[in-house]
Amino acid sequence: MATEASRTTQADLLRIVYRPKMRRQFNLKSILLQYLTRNTTSDFAEGSQISLSLHKGKSGGRGFSSAGKLPNSDYQKVSRVAFNYTRMYGRIRIPGAMMNSTSNVPTAAEARVYDLETTNLVKQLRHMLNFHLFGNGSGKVAGIASTSSATQFIVDDPRGIDDGARYDVLLISNGAVAGGFQGATISVNPSTKVCRITSAHQFADGTGTAVNASPTLYALYENGSYNDAVLGLDAVISAGNPPLGNYGGTDRTVAGNEYWQGQVLANGGTPRILSFPLISEAVDQVDRFSDGETNLILCGYEVHRRLMNELLAARRIDNSTKKLNGWATAIMHDDIPIVRDKHCNPTKAYLLDTSHWELYQDCEGKWMDEDGAILSRIPGEDAYEAAWSRYLQPTCDAPNTQAVIEDLDTTAVAA
């Protein structure tokens, strides 16, 4: 009875004490999550799928006439799109000793275990979610640049990798393992971009016949998440379709569907400096080709630092910066905040009209207890586990109101 009573008590601890705390912590240090309007399953008809009506085009029933002749009647052009939920999960493990009667385990020691498990779980999930809010839904964390041995490889960008987490290395083309691996623990050196794995793996050319022949055919993905991540900014602000397929079921590449394309300001792959005039050009393009109004700009550290240096050189820093939500330093440009985010692609700047974004979700996150128990014993072990879930999908009902400036130089610094 003591063990059962303790398990019930500690399940209540997870539900009553830690669940609200975890929900609050999820939105910390993510300016994008804090800007997204929340909608829950009660706001749309289908519980497993999000269905939206879009204003595709305007009415043709208008015109001038000196003779008083009315124009032909017409109707607003409407289209429907559908999105699937992305299911995000996390699991914690509690030693069996903690499940014994509380007389055997000091309360402080018991609390430390739960604090450690829940706090770090939220940090890891928040890191993962915020990174993929900038992604294209593929679940890709980094590209493989080269391999130096059977136990280490070099990535092109380490910003999305959590040291000590489990990842997959898969073929980019179809998600096959081939010469890659699944669920291996990765350690990373952020400065050298070197990743190490606990057991030897060698990347083949896709057929398994040539070891380490073509590592760039592979990429690092969240464990078990190939083409299963949230549809982030790169999925929305594009002239093409995301890797999984059409965005919301509408093919952007078909003539007549240009309304479903984002505004992309590229430079043909040639790096260029992000300047305030270039930002104004992108803002003007959104205004010219859509009904959107940019109210938030997100960029990487290097680009933000260069803009800040430009303000310092012009002695305009005092009147051109402000704090958002009490923690994010924003550069103000024509009353639009420009905020840095560590998970933003350093060669891009995203210009958002957040009024067209919504975060559909079942809730802000919960412990899975539909079978009647939050804590369940792990078979064959003196340990218990609990699983956290959050069903969600960020959606944009007007990609043409969003813009991205690409090919930004991350090395240039203002004189």
Side-chain angles (χ1 to χ4, degrees):
M1 291 298 294
T3 301
E4 181 61 32
S6 180
R7 185 170 71 168
T8 301
T9 302
Q10 295 184 43
D12 287 342
L13 182 68
L14 287 174
R15 180 187 296 108
I16 297 170
V17 176
Y18 287 102
R19 181 172 64 181
K21 182 189 297 186
M22 292 171 71
R23 287 177 169 180
R24 289 192 300 270
Q25 290 175 337
F26 247 112
N27 297 319
L28 297 177
K29 303 299 182 182
S30 174
I31 195 69
L32 187 51
L33 275 181
Q34 292 173 359
Y35 264 77
L36 295 182
T37 300
R38 264 59 166 174
N39 273 314
T40 62
T41 53
S42 61
D43 296 309
F44 55 96
E46 301 177 52
S48 61
Q49 193 174 60
I50 305 157
S51 181
L52 302 179
S53 295
L54 307 180
H55 189 192
K56 178 179 178 180
K58 299 177 181 178
S59 170
R62 63 185 188 181
F64 299 104
S65 173
S66 59
K69 183 176 176 59
L70 296 177
N72 294 328
S73 62
D74 204 347
Y75 53 85
Q76 299 295 316
K77 310 303 187 295
V78 177
S79 177
R80 291 188 67 82
V81 295
F83 301 91
N84 293 320
Y85 268 128
T86 292
R87 304 176 185 184
M88 184 173 67
Y89 299 108
R91 296 168 75 179
I92 64 171
R93 176 191 294 255
I94 303 297
M98 295 295 118
M99 304 304 298
N100 292 329
S101 65
T102 53
S103 60
N104 296 333
V105 181
T107 303
E110 188 177 34
R112 279 198 299 271
V113 173
Y114 283 98
D115 280 336
L116 180 66
E117 289 289 338
T118 58
T119 299
N120 283 281
L121 175 66
V122 169
K123 286 181 179 179
Q124 291 172 31
L125 290 177
R126 188 176 68 214
H127 179 281
M128 180 180 73
L129 176 57
N130 194 63
F131 176 82
H132 289 286
L133 284 174
F134 289 91
N136 61 6
S138 67
K140 178 181 174 181
V141 177
I144 307 298
S146 62
T147 59
S148 53
S149 75
T151 57
Q152 68 180 40
F153 56 90
I154 299 173
V155 295
D156 55 5
D157 188 347
R159 63 194 158 87
I161 303 175
D162 261 333
D163 192 75
R166 294 181 180 274
Y167 294 97
D168 302 336
V169 165
L170 308 171
L171 280 173
I172 299 171
S173 59
N174 58 13
V177 177
F181 57 79
Q182 289 180 302
T185 301
I186 299 290
S187 63
V188 60
N189 184 327
S191 60
T192 62
K193 304 180 183 179
V194 173
C195 293
R196 290 179 172 81
I197 48 183
T198 52
S199 57
H201 291 278
Q202 294 179 312
F203 309 144
D205 62 356
T207 65
T209 58
V211 175
N212 290 338
S214 304
T216 55
L217 295 176
Y218 293 80
L220 193 70
Y221 293 89
E222 301 288 355
N223 183 213
S225 303
Y226 180 83
N227 274 354
D228 222 6
V230 293
L231 295 168
L233 299 186
D234 281 342
V236 175
I237 314 174
S238 173
N241 297 314
L244 185 59
N246 302 334
Y247 182 64
T250 298
D251 189 347
R252 290 170 164 159
T253 62
V254 174
N257 288 343
E258 290 81 6
Y259 73 96
W260 201 229
Q261 297 178 357
Q263 311 290 341
V264 180
L265 287 79
N267 198 42
T270 302
R272 38 64 182 284
I273 293 172
L274 181 65
S275 62
F276 290 110
L278 182 54
I279 293 172
S280 295
E281 180 184 341
V283 171
D284 291 346
Q285 182 163 320
V286 169
D287 182 58
R288 182 180 296 118
F289 297 116
S290 75
D291 292 327
E293 185 174 344
T294 301
N295 68 330
L296 177 66
I297 299 174
L298 298 173
C299 63
Y301 284 172
E302 297 85 356
V303 168
H304 190 274
R305 187 161 52 246
R306 189 200 179 281
L307 293 175
M308 189 71 79
N309 288 343
E310 189 172 325
L311 292 176
L312 286 168
R315 302 181 185 277
R316 294 193 295 122
I317 193 71
D318 291 338
N319 299 323
S320 299
T321 61
K322 68 180 295 186
K323 289 285 186 182
L324 293 185
N325 300 335
W327 63 271
T329 301
I331 297 171
M332 301 304 296
H333 177 62
D334 292 339
D335 292 327
I336 304 171
I338 305 172
V339 186
R340 67 181 183 269
D341 192 297
K342 68 178 182 179
H343 290 136
C344 181
N345 186 322
T347 65
K348 296 182 180 181
Y350 300 91
L351 292 81
L352 309 180
D353 179 343
T354 59
S355 69
H356 290 281
W357 285 87
E358 290 180 295
L359 181 65
Y360 282 88
Q361 58 183 10
D362 62 339
C363 64
E364 291 286 326
K366 62 181 181 180
W367 296 109
M368 298 177 66
D369 60 354
E370 285 76 6
D371 60 352
I374 290 180
L375 285 163
S376 301
R377 191 171 70 85
I378 301 173
E381 296 186 38
D382 182 16
Y384 291 77
E385 66 178 4
W388 179 268
S389 73
R390 187 178 181 183
Y391 292 11
L392 75 165
Q393 187 65 265
T395 65
C396 178
D397 62 14
N400 64 346
T401 63
Q402 319 295 316
V404 59
I405 304 173
E406 299 181 344
D407 302 321
L408 297 180
D409 188 341
T410 62
T411 61
V413 178

